[in-house]
PDB file of all heavy atoms in Angstrom:
ATOM      1  N   GLU A  56     -85.555 -45.247 -80.655  1.00 89.00           N
ATOM      2  CA  GLU A  56     -85.886 -43.943 -81.203  1.00 89.00           C
ATOM      3  C   GLU A  56     -87.433 -43.761 -81.521  1.00 89.00           C
ATOM      4  O   GLU A  56     -88.024 -44.819 -81.627  1.00 89.00           O
ATOM      5  CB  GLU A  56     -85.030 -43.594 -82.486  1.00 89.00           C
ATOM      6  CG  GLU A  56     -83.652 -43.057 -82.304  1.00 89.00           C
ATOM      7  CD  GLU A  56     -82.854 -43.127 -83.551  1.00 89.00           C
ATOM      8  OE1 GLU A  56     -82.618 -44.242 -84.025  1.00 89.00           O
ATOM      9  OE2 GLU A  56     -82.500 -42.012 -84.049  1.00 89.00           O
ATOM     10  N   SER A  57     -87.814 -42.545 -81.751  1.00 89.00           N
ATOM     11  CA  SER A  57     -89.140 -42.328 -82.190  1.00 89.00           C
ATOM     12  C   SER A  57     -89.461 -43.079 -83.455  1.00 89.00           C
ATOM     13  O   SER A  57     -88.608 -43.054 -84.388  1.00 89.00           O
ATOM     14  CB  SER A  57     -89.332 -40.811 -82.389  1.00 89.00           C
ATOM     15  OG  SER A  57     -90.680 -40.519 -82.601  1.00 89.00           O
ATOM     16  N   GLY A  58     -90.494 -43.783 -83.538  1.00 89.00           N
ATOM     17  CA  GLY A  58     -90.893 -44.473 -84.760  1.00 89.00           C
ATOM     18  C   GLY A  58     -90.382 -45.895 -84.820  1.00 89.00           C
ATOM     19  O   GLY A  58     -90.535 -46.597 -85.818  1.00 89.00           O
ATOM     20  N   SER A  59     -89.706 -46.398 -83.710  1.00 91.00           N
ATOM     21  CA  SER A  59     -89.151 -47.725 -83.815  1.00 91.00           C
ATOM     22  C   SER A  59     -90.182 -48.741 -83.488  1.00 91.00           C
ATOM     23  O   SER A  59     -89.943 -49.935 -83.665  1.00 91.00           O
ATOM     24  CB  SER A  59     -87.966 -47.802 -82.806  1.00 91.00           C
ATOM     25  OG  SER A  59     -88.389 -47.430 -81.541  1.00 91.00           O
ATOM     26  N   GLY A  60     -91.347 -48.340 -83.024  1.00 93.00           N
ATOM     27  CA  GLY A  60     -92.418 -49.303 -82.897  1.00 93.00           C
ATOM     28  C   GLY A  60     -92.784 -49.678 -81.487  1.00 93.00           C
ATOM     29  O   GLY A  60     -93.400 -50.636 -81.151  1.00 93.00           O
ATOM     30  N   LYS A  61     -92.300 -48.813 -80.501  1.00 95.00           N
ATOM     31  CA  LYS A  61     -92.527 -49.167 -79.099  1.00 95.00           C
ATOM     32  C   LYS A  61     -94.023 -49.085 -78.734  1.00 95.00           C
ATOM     33  O   LYS A  61     -94.522 -50.012 -78.152  1.00 95.00           O
ATOM     34  CB  LYS A  61     -91.710 -48.114 -78.231  1.00 95.00           C
ATOM     35  CG  LYS A  61     -90.208 -48.050 -78.545  1.00 95.00           C
ATOM     36  CD  LYS A  61     -89.513 -47.102 -77.573  1.00 95.00           C
ATOM     37  CE  LYS A  61     -89.922 -45.613 -77.731  1.00 95.00           C
ATOM     38  NZ  LYS A  61     -89.621 -44.950 -78.981  1.00 95.00           N
ATOM     39  N   SER A  62     -94.658 -47.990 -79.187  1.00 94.00           N
ATOM     40  CA  SER A  62     -96.055 -47.807 -78.825  1.00 94.00           C
ATOM     41  C   SER A  62     -96.842 -48.919 -79.528  1.00 94.00           C
ATOM     42  O   SER A  62     -97.798 -49.491 -78.956  1.00 94.00           O
ATOM     43  CB  SER A  62     -96.541 -46.472 -79.263  1.00 94.00           C
ATOM     44  OG  SER A  62     -95.964 -45.504 -78.552  1.00 94.00           O
ATOM     45  N   LEU A  63     -96.482 -49.183 -80.704  1.00 96.00           N
ATOM     46  CA  LEU A  63     -97.190 -50.160 -81.444  1.00 96.00           C
ATOM     47  C   LEU A  63     -97.094 -51.553 -80.834  1.00 96.00           C
ATOM     48  O   LEU A  63     -98.068 -52.376 -80.853  1.00 96.00           O
ATOM     49  CB  LEU A  63     -96.754 -50.231 -82.934  1.00 96.00           C
ATOM     50  CG  LEU A  63     -97.601 -51.000 -83.822  1.00 96.00           C
ATOM     51  CD1 LEU A  63     -99.037 -50.625 -83.843  1.00 96.00           C
ATOM     52  CD2 LEU A  63     -97.076 -50.888 -85.278  1.00 96.00           C
ATOM     53  N   SER A  65     -96.905 -52.106 -77.668  1.00 96.00           N
ATOM     54  CA  SER A  65     -97.834 -52.119 -76.539  1.00 96.00           C
ATOM     55  C   SER A  65     -99.264 -52.308 -76.989  1.00 96.00           C
ATOM     56  O   SER A  65    -100.080 -52.946 -76.458  1.00 96.00           O
ATOM     57  CB  SER A  65     -97.646 -50.865 -75.657  1.00 96.00           C
ATOM     58  OG  SER A  65     -97.937 -49.712 -76.318  1.00 96.00           O
ATOM     59  N   GLN A 112     -99.004 -41.692 -72.343  1.00 87.00           N
ATOM     60  CA  GLN A 112     -98.100 -40.543 -72.241  1.00 87.00           C
ATOM     61  C   GLN A 112     -98.786 -39.280 -71.859  1.00 87.00           C
ATOM     62  O   GLN A 112     -98.357 -38.524 -71.032  1.00 87.00           O
ATOM     63  CB  GLN A 112     -97.350 -40.356 -73.563  1.00 87.00           C
ATOM     64  CG  GLN A 112     -96.480 -39.133 -73.589  1.00 87.00           C
ATOM     65  CD  GLN A 112     -95.676 -39.134 -74.882  1.00 87.00           C
ATOM     66  OE1 GLN A 112     -95.611 -40.038 -75.591  1.00 87.00           O
ATOM     67  NE2 GLN A 112     -94.944 -38.002 -75.096  1.00 87.00           N
ATOM     68  N   ASP A 194     -96.714 -46.464 -71.321  1.00 94.00           N
ATOM     69  CA  ASP A 194     -96.093 -45.844 -72.598  1.00 94.00           C
ATOM     70  C   ASP A 194     -95.667 -44.401 -72.266  1.00 94.00           C
ATOM     71  O   ASP A 194     -96.473 -43.550 -72.249  1.00 94.00           O
ATOM     72  CB  ASP A 194     -97.028 -45.942 -73.730  1.00 94.00           C
ATOM     73  CG  ASP A 194     -96.423 -45.528 -74.985  1.00 94.00           C
ATOM     74  OD1 ASP A 194     -95.286 -45.183 -75.032  1.00 94.00           O
ATOM     75  OD2 ASP A 194     -97.100 -45.766 -76.051  1.00 94.00           O
ATOM     76  N   GLU A 195     -94.390 -44.240 -72.008  1.00 91.00           N
ATOM     77  CA  GLU A 195     -93.822 -42.908 -71.713  1.00 91.00           C
ATOM     78  C   GLU A 195     -94.745 -42.184 -70.626  1.00 91.00           C
ATOM     79  O   GLU A 195     -95.159 -41.057 -70.847  1.00 91.00           O
ATOM     80  CB  GLU A 195     -93.783 -42.029 -72.931  1.00 91.00           C
ATOM     81  CG  GLU A 195     -93.199 -42.773 -74.122  1.00 91.00           C
ATOM     82  CD  GLU A 195     -92.098 -42.103 -74.827  1.00 91.00           C
ATOM     83  OE1 GLU A 195     -91.454 -41.136 -74.258  1.00 91.00           O
ATOM     84  OE2 GLU A 195     -91.742 -42.538 -75.947  1.00 91.00           O
ATOM     85  N   ILE A 226     -92.172 -48.219 -71.352  1.00 96.00           N
ATOM     86  CA  ILE A 226     -91.738 -47.718 -72.647  1.00 96.00           C
ATOM     87  C   ILE A 226     -91.180 -46.305 -72.340  1.00 96.00           C
ATOM     88  O   ILE A 226     -91.858 -45.470 -71.725  1.00 96.00           O
ATOM     89  CB  ILE A 226     -92.868 -47.648 -73.661  1.00 96.00           C
ATOM     90  CG1 ILE A 226     -93.354 -49.030 -73.907  1.00 96.00           C
ATOM     91  CG2 ILE A 226     -92.373 -46.966 -74.944  1.00 96.00           C
ATOM     92  CD1 ILE A 226     -94.596 -49.127 -74.801  1.00 96.00           C
ATOM     93  N   HIS A 228     -87.951 -43.236 -73.786  1.00 86.00           N
ATOM     94  CA  HIS A 228     -86.772 -42.943 -74.559  1.00 86.00           C
ATOM     95  C   HIS A 228     -85.678 -42.345 -73.661  1.00 86.00           C
ATOM     96  O   HIS A 228     -84.680 -41.975 -74.200  1.00 86.00           O
ATOM     97  CB  HIS A 228     -87.118 -42.027 -75.786  1.00 86.00           C
ATOM     98  CG  HIS A 228     -87.674 -40.777 -75.274  1.00 86.00           C
ATOM     99  ND1 HIS A 228     -89.001 -40.475 -75.467  1.00 86.00           N
ATOM    100  CD2 HIS A 228     -87.081 -39.691 -74.675  1.00 86.00           C
ATOM    101  CE1 HIS A 228     -89.191 -39.228 -74.927  1.00 86.00           C
ATOM    102  NE2 HIS A 228     -88.058 -38.806 -74.452  1.00 86.00           N
TER     103      HIS A 228
HETATM  104 MG1   MG C 414     -94.736 -43.996 -78.788  1.00 76.64          MG
END
Side-chain angles (χ1 to χ4, degrees):
Chain A
E56 273 167 297
S57 188
S59 53
K61 306 184 296 294
S62 296
L63 191 54
S65 66
Q112 175 171 351
D194 190 351
E195 316 230 16
I226 298 177
H228 59 254

